[in-house]
Amino acid sequence: MNAENPKPIIVLENLVKIYRQGKLEVPAVRGVNLEIKSGEFTAISGPSGSGKTTVLNIIGALDDPTDGKVFVEGIHLASLSRSALSKLRRDRIGFVFQAYNLIPVLTAFENAEIVLALQGVAVKDRRERVMGLLADVGLEGMEHRRPDQLSGGQQQRVAIARAIASNPAVVLADEPTANVDSSTAEKLLSIMEKLNRKQHVTFVFSTHDQKVMDRARRIIHLVDGKISNDEIRE
Amino acid sequence: MRSTGMATMAWRNLRRNRRRTALTVFGISFGVLLAVIFTGIGDSSYADMIDLAARMGTGHVTVQHGDYLDTPSVSKTVTGTSKISALAARDENVKSISTRITGQVLLATSAASYGAAMLAIDPQKENKDTFALFDSVDEGAMFESGADKGIILGAKLAQNLDTKMGRKVVYTLTDKSGEIVSGLARVKGILRTGSQSVDAGLCILPIDTVRKTLGFDTDEATQVAVFLYDQRNSEKVAQRLKKTIGENAQVLTWDKSNPALAGFIGMKVSGTVIFEILILILIAAGIFNTIFVSVMERMREFGIMSAIGFSPTKIFSLVMWESLWIGIIGLISAAAITAYPYYLMATKGIDVSKMTGGEQSLEVAGVAMSPVIYADIYPQSILVICLAVFGATLLSGLYPAWRAGKVVPVESIKLV
Ligand SMILES: Nc1ncnc2c1ncn2[C@@H]1O[C@H](COP(=O)(O)OP(=O)(O)OP(=O)(O)O)[C@@H](O)[C@H]1O
Ligand SMILES: [Mg+2]
């Protein structure tokens, strides 16, 4: 852990999520308590159906818990309106999904700057920031390509650039490497690591992949909707 | 937001499925084409009918005796016609004014006698814009002056009377005191129009001669017919005239003096409106289908957008922009594909006599119509069509846009 002992940016208290399918109740998350601090590089692992996606969605204010509390930077999400949640996602959370993250009609550059544009950041500032970020993720010279002119790995890099463009509190990535080959996965991880170290971006990502897991500094292992192991490495 | 504004994104989205967009745009354009041509034909033919009706007798606005409409007779006169004419002439919408005596007349020759409609005119103050048949004198010629001693007969009427050019005809009228008066005239011309009611039932006499026969003042007649540049101003002109000439005479617009024609046009106009509404519904259904399908196909994309912070309003406005663009391109392309067909319809028209086959002239409520149909749309009608199409476009985007705005990211982003 960091020496300064920074305050947690995410706190889950007794998180429960039960999906209802007609009369059937599917418990996806069953009492998770968790704190994530600024600067972490954390993997959520676990077998298929263990609740990784559900947890990330709830942290990211995309889904509501059935029970328990979620705090993002000290704010209790249940207290926010729909539009406040939308703003929170825009300003404080970065998302990278498994695939097809990008808006197909926008170029790499436009995709990466879209959140800043939504925030109303001036064109010039946007440009500076986004060109720098695209260089950081290794996409120099590809700014004007559309998503369909980029490989899967390159698309994920744009998604990472977009996710961090507005300096969010945390980037949530649900299986960001599941759709790319292993060497591409390695490269994506390296990029994320570099951003984490140099720009102090907090990453929480889920994965199945042992190699990806090994790059994390903290691994939260989920089984049947419960944390079975929370391992801090290094 | 500049490069990545909603308008730009919407525009690019339309280019993703060009064929679908093109088909929708074509649908709009074709609908507008139909609506414009159809409305143009309506506007033009109603205006033609009204103008022709005006030129066939009553003018766009008629000043006559208060009882003339119910019981037309040469004894129901208006006096001070030159003052009325002078008052009417002050209105800038008025093109010309004619004073006439109209009524029933009995015509007799040595062979036969027939009743007919009489129109007594001042040939020096009439032309074919005030009196449609002015140039239809087929044999012989129009009178030289209002004091001429001639008579002009419909061709069939002349035949019925067994008379011809240069022969004598006695015309008999009832004067204001109920006395029978008559005059003698020589056949000066024959009218041949193809319209039954004219050819078999109309005679034209010179107004001053008729005044003398009836014992009228030089300022007395049964009708002051007022002609306008544009028939749509009839009501306005009539109202103004009513105020200035007061109670002495009745002022009627063409639709009051020709209710059969007014009814016919009213019916046709409702037909056009129904047709336009149908076109509008088809256009709206086409746009709705396009936008709705494309929205449903893109729910995942909207889910991502919502996740990264697009507000429901932003997503709604993106889809509305797509509808707006479709409407704009639709109207531009409509203008492009409508221009030439409309130009042809406006300049060359369609000769329906070839379709209906034969010589028969079209007659509507006693008004003979040209067999060539033209389109001549009022600017207001174009504006109404454009606004309606535009409105339909936006309206059909509303529901899909609302659906898109309501996207639930967790449901739509799920990967299989
Ligand atoms: N919308 C839903 N309705 C019903 N059940 C659901 C729904 N979403 C997830 N579940 C169930 O909740 C449990 C947890 O699902 P979740 O997607 O969070 O797992 P996961 O760990 O992300 O799995 P994977 O590794 O396959 O992505 C599973 O049993 C799943 O079937
Ligand atoms: Mg998952």
Side-chain angles (χ1 to χ4, degrees), chain A residues 150-192:
Chain A
L150 295 169
S151 71
Q154 289 166 340
Q155 289 179 30
Q156 291 303 76
R157 295 186 203 197
V158 177
I160 292 169
R162 177 185 70 194
I164 64 175
S166 63
N167 282 317
V170 61
V171 173
L172 304 174
D174 192 9
E175 316 228 20
T177 59
N179 266 37
V180 296
D181 62 51
S182 58
S183 73
T184 306
E186 292 276 323
K187 277 181 207 142
L188 286 177
L189 255 291
S190 301
I191 289 167
M192 285 162 63

Side-chain angles (χ1 to χ4, degrees), chain A residues 47-54 56-57 98 174-175 206 208:
Chain A
S48 188
S50 59
K52 304 182 292 294
T53 297
T54 305
L56 285 175
N57 283 345
Q98 188 173 331
D174 192 9
E175 316 228 20
S206 70
H208 276 115

Side-chain angles (χ1 to χ4, degrees), chain B residues 14 17-27:
Chain B
L14 290 182
N17 198 328
R18 286 178 202 217
R19 197 165 60 155
R20 185 161 63 197
T21 304
L23 278 173
T24 313
V25 164
F26 179 76

Side-chain angles (χ1 to χ4, degrees), chain A residues 57 62-63 82 86 89-90 95 97-101 103-106 110 113-114 117-118 126 146 162, chain B residues 1-4 9 12-13 16 300-301 304-312 314 405 409-410 413 415:
Chain A
N57 283 345
L62 292 176
D63 208 351
R82 256 181 78 92
S86 168
R89 291 197 298 265
R90 184 187 80 185
F95 286 96
F97 299 99
Q98 188 173 331
Y100 311 114
N101 269 288
I103 298 172
V105 294
L106 301 182
E110 289 164 346
E113 75 160 355
I114 191 73
L118 288 174
R126 248 146 67 183
R146 294 277 172 93
R162 177 185 70 194
Chain B
M1 294 226 284
R2 226 169 50 186
S3 58
T4 42
M9 277 177 73
R12 294 190 198 165
N13 277 332
R16 275 158 89 171
R300 183 174 199 280
E301 204 173 307
I304 298 268
M305 289 167 68
S306 170
I308 67 172
F310 278 76
S311 64
K314 267 261 142 64
V410 275
I413 296 174
L415 273 185

Side-chain angles (χ1 to χ4, degrees), chain B residues 74-112:
Chain B
V74 287
S75 60
K76 307 283 163 52
T77 61
V78 183
T79 49
T81 53
S82 41
K83 196 174 160 222
I84 293 171
S85 302
L87 284 171
R90 286 198 296 201
D91 195 310
E92 79 272 8
N93 296 301
V94 172
K95 190 175 171 193
S96 65
I97 301 152
S98 303
T99 303
R100 294 141 176 194
I101 300 170
T102 55
Q104 287 299 309
V105 66
L106 185 71
L107 300 175
T109 60
S110 53

Side-chain angles (χ1 to χ4, degrees), chain B residues 176-255:
Chain B
K176 284 194 287 183
S177 51
E179 293 292 315
I180 306 262
V181 292
S182 50
L184 181 67
R186 278 184 194 276
V187 179
K188 183 136 198 223
I190 302 288
L191 279 174
R192 216 180 299 273
T193 62
S195 161
Q196 266 300 312
S197 57
V198 171
D199 291 358
L202 183 71
C203 72
I204 306 170
L205 284 162
I207 193 165
D208 293 331
T209 310
V210 173
R211 275 195 183 116
K212 207 177 276 171
T213 310
L214 285 166
F216 284 7
D217 284 348
T218 49
D219 231 10
E220 189 171 10
T222 60
Q223 177 191 80
V224 178
V226 180
F227 295 85
L228 309 183
Y229 293 101
D230 186 336
Q231 54 88 11
R232 285 174 293 167
N233 295 319
S234 303
E235 190 60 47
K236 195 163 63 187
V237 173
Q239 290 301 339
R240 286 187 199 156
L241 255 183
K242 231 174 244 177
K243 265 186 220 140
T244 50
I245 65 176
E247 299 296 305
N248 296 331
Q250 188 176 32
V251 182
L252 293 173
T253 47
W254 66 267
D255 52 316

